[in-house]
Amino acid sequence: MVRLEKDVGRMLSRYYEIYTERTVMEYELFFRFCREFEIFPEMCNKPVLHAVFYELSYLEQQSSFSPEQIHRIMLIKTKKQVFNSGGYLSESGFVKAIMLCGLKCRLFENDSNPISKVINFVEKLLQSKGTQIIKKISGRIQMFTDEVDPMGEIRRKYAEFLKKTVKQDKQEALNKAFEDDV
């Protein structure tokens, strides 16, 4: 997943820069991105987006603590305290948030492979109206979405994980067809 995070990060970094104007991403900008890229309401509901943003934001702000200290803090702080604190995401936090949204996306909840969930989610983002909005905002700056197949390299790199999903999907379709006949 760390390797995938780097690959997805390269694709999403330009979006982060455009939305934040090279500062940090606050919740309003994150939610705007999610709306424009059809994450909300099509793929994730608002409570999921809220939780992903504020929990990652909180952890980023506490990064000077050890993992054990962060765990203890999270046990002590209530969800309400985490959600009501101001927050922001760095570029790295934004990439993690998008990947978490992919893992929680209701469109791919039957897929048991986390890598394919994230890849399919990012591919869906690239097909959304958000890419057209970005092109207008950025004044047609060359983007990776201008490529013929921006996800091609990622699909090739992670083909072994995606093949398992295709096999699983075929098996599920066969099982469903068999159940429908019975």
Side-chain angles (χ1 to χ4, degrees):
M1 280 299 250
V2 173
R3 211 174 71 193
L4 180 60
E5 181 183 341
K6 288 179 183 176
D7 293 333
V8 168
R10 280 193 295 276
M11 296 179 78
L12 296 177
S13 66
R14 185 73 178 120
Y15 292 154
Y16 181 86
E17 288 173 12
I18 290 169
Y19 273 81
T20 62
E21 298 175 352
R22 299 181 189 266
T23 60
V24 293
M25 183 171 277
E26 294 178 341
Y27 182 73
E28 293 76 26
L29 287 175
F30 178 72
F31 190 70
R32 182 177 138 210
F33 176 89
C34 291
R35 243 189 357 261
E36 291 176 354
F37 279 81
E38 301 170 12
I39 296 171
F40 174 80
E42 289 83 1
M43 297 186 268
C44 294
N45 61 32
K46 201 170 186 175
V48 166
L49 297 177
H50 205 258
V52 163
F53 179 88
Y54 281 105
E55 287 177 11
L56 280 171
S57 171
Y58 181 77
L59 290 174
E60 275 196 336
Q61 292 174 36
Q62 304 303 321
S63 63
S64 60
F65 292 106
S66 71
E68 296 80 26
Q69 290 170 317
I70 290 173
H71 181 70
R72 276 188 258 129
I73 290 168
M74 290 302 288
L75 291 175
I76 295 168
K77 278 182 113 18
T78 66
K79 293 277 186 195
K80 191 173 187 176
Q81 287 172 312
V82 173
F83 290 158
N84 291 333
S85 64
Y88 59 86
L89 293 176
S90 66
E91 184 177 323
S92 170
F94 171 69
V95 172
K96 286 177 178 70
I98 295 303
M99 291 178 69
L100 273 173
C101 287
L103 293 173
K104 295 174 179 283
C105 177
R106 57 181 162 248
L107 297 179
F108 309 116
E109 58 192 17
N110 293 330
D111 185 350
S112 61
N113 184 327
I115 291 176
S116 67
K117 280 183 177 186
V118 171
I119 291 171
N120 290 327
F121 184 76
V122 171
E123 193 152 25
K124 200 94 166 123
L125 295 182
L126 297 179
Q127 297 166 357
S128 74
K129 66 182 179 185
T131 56
Q132 300 307 315
I133 292 168
I134 286 292
K135 285 180 182 181
K136 288 178 188 173
I137 291 171
S138 64
R140 297 285 302 156
I141 293 173
Q142 182 70 23
M143 300 282 290
F144 64 86
T145 53
D146 293 335
E147 298 172 18
V148 176
D149 185 9
M151 290 294 291
E153 184 180 333
I154 286 181
R155 268 192 252 102
R156 280 188 297 281
K157 201 171 190 178
Y158 299 94
E160 64 193 73
F161 299 101
L162 297 173
K163 283 180 187 172
K164 290 177 188 173
T165 303
V166 170
K167 288 178 187 174
Q168 291 169 349
D169 290 345
K170 285 180 182 176
Q171 186 61 47
E172 287 175 14
L174 286 172
N175 290 344
K176 184 169 174 42
F178 179 75
E179 289 171 6
D180 291 344
D181 289 340
V182 174

